[in-house]
Amino acid sequence: MRNLLLMALLVLAGCGSFHEVPEDYRPLERVKQSVLAPSGGIATIGDTAYVADLDAWLAKRPPGSPRYKATLRHEQEHSKRQFADGVRSWTAKYMTDIGFMWAEEQVGWYYEIQTLRQWGLDVSPEAVADILKDYSNLRGPMVSYEEALAW
């Protein structure tokens, strides 16, 4: 029940500022600012991806840029899988099952990395591992730096 409360808080804490994403990323429809979104990160629930500071997020990933496309492709995959499995049940499992979370992030990061590479950008395994080591859910850290780097 706690995880559903957190999900509801994230959705309700949006300040109204949002960015509509291109139809290519459906079922993802928008990126919305929320005070409860991860600082510097992004969290997707259903058709909406939440960020702490929408202007900063867009400045770092201008629409149409490779980083914009790669990030949205990652979040699109989460959105697709949520709708396929049921948004509430997928989100509850993601927030409480570290193995499930890690498996889902591997899929999302696969698409993000592939998109960046398609645009000719180098992807540093160390940089990705450094990001992944900070992911956690209600059970604790998702993965160590070493495990993420080995992946």
Side-chain angles (χ1 to χ4, degrees), residues 20-30 76 79-80:
E20 185 99 9
V21 303
E23 286 190 26
D24 295 355
Y25 299 99
R26 297 292 184 259
L28 194 62
E29 295 184 9
R30 70 192 62 81
Q76 177 190 37
S79 184
K80 284 180 180 178

Side-chain angles (χ1 to χ4, degrees), residues 22-147:
E23 286 190 26
D24 295 355
Y25 299 99
R26 297 292 184 259
L28 194 62
E29 295 184 9
R30 70 192 62 81
V31 178
K32 187 172 184 181
Q33 186 164 300
S34 172
V35 297
L36 296 178
S39 178
I42 188 166
T44 295
I45 300 174
D47 63 6
T48 305
Y50 296 90
V51 296
D53 183 334
L54 183 59
D55 290 336
W57 189 86
L58 288 169
K60 192 173 180 180
R61 297 163 194 83
S65 71
R67 294 202 188 287
Y68 176 88
K69 292 175 180 188
T71 302
L72 290 183
R73 183 61 187 95
H74 176 141
E75 298 307 319
Q76 177 190 37
E77 192 59 30
H78 289 321
S79 184
K80 284 180 180 178
R81 295 165 77 84
Q82 288 173 18
F83 282 111
D85 295 344
V87 174
R88 198 161 80 177
S89 61
W90 187 98
T91 304
K93 194 168 182 181
Y94 183 90
M95 295 175 75
T96 59
D97 183 330
I98 290 169
F100 178 79
M101 180 187 196
W102 178 220
E104 291 297 313
E105 287 305 329
Q106 287 177 20
V107 172
W109 276 95
Y110 169 82
Y111 286 107
E112 185 165 346
I113 291 166
Q114 291 305 313
T115 302
L116 290 169
R117 286 181 176 161
Q118 287 170 0
W119 285 93
L121 297 177
D122 289 328
V123 179
S124 163
E126 293 82 8
V128 173
D130 195 49
I131 294 167
L132 290 171
K133 74 172 175 43
D134 292 332
Y135 281 42
S136 63
N137 67 15
L138 296 173
R139 301 277 186 208
M142 179 181 75
V143 66
S144 69
Y145 174 85
E146 293 76 19
E147 187 175 352

